[in-house]
Amino acid sequence: MSALKIARNEHGDDVLKVLEPLTRRVTSGQWDVHVDQAQFERLIRGEKAGSLRTYSLLRPSVFAGFKGVLVH
């Protein structure tokens, strides 16, 4: 199943709801998404990883066109 289908979750699947926020960031183009490499490799191998930790950074280009940006 593609990341776009997971992000859309057209049928309201409960499992996909858990993945939806991550897949929306991955497919949006506005975020740089990083993952703990060791956890990801265990997941790909089918081992019990327990969790998959990701880090997302909003790209500065999102603010292009604004006269100014105030961050609290």
Side-chain angles (χ1 to χ4, degrees):
M1 178 175 294
S2 75
L4 286 173
K5 281 189 175 187
I6 294 170
R8 288 188 199 118
N9 194 10
E10 294 173 351
H11 301 291
D13 187 283
D14 288 338
V15 173
L16 297 184
K17 283 181 187 176
V18 174
L19 301 172
E20 194 173 339
L22 174 62
T23 56
R24 286 193 184 278
R25 287 191 303 272
V26 168
T27 60
S28 77
Q30 297 178 334
W31 294 88
D32 288 322
V33 181
H34 306 271
V35 65
D36 182 302
Q37 191 65 37
Q39 290 175 342
F40 180 72
E41 289 173 7
R42 284 193 298 272
L43 176 69
I44 295 301
R45 287 192 303 262
E47 298 174 9
K48 257 190 161 175
S51 64
L52 181 65
R53 187 171 298 125
T54 63
Y55 306 91
S56 302
L57 299 169
L58 189 60
R59 292 181 180 172
S61 60
V62 170
F63 302 108
F66 287 94
K67 186 173 182 179
V69 177
L70 179 62
V71 179
H72 288 266

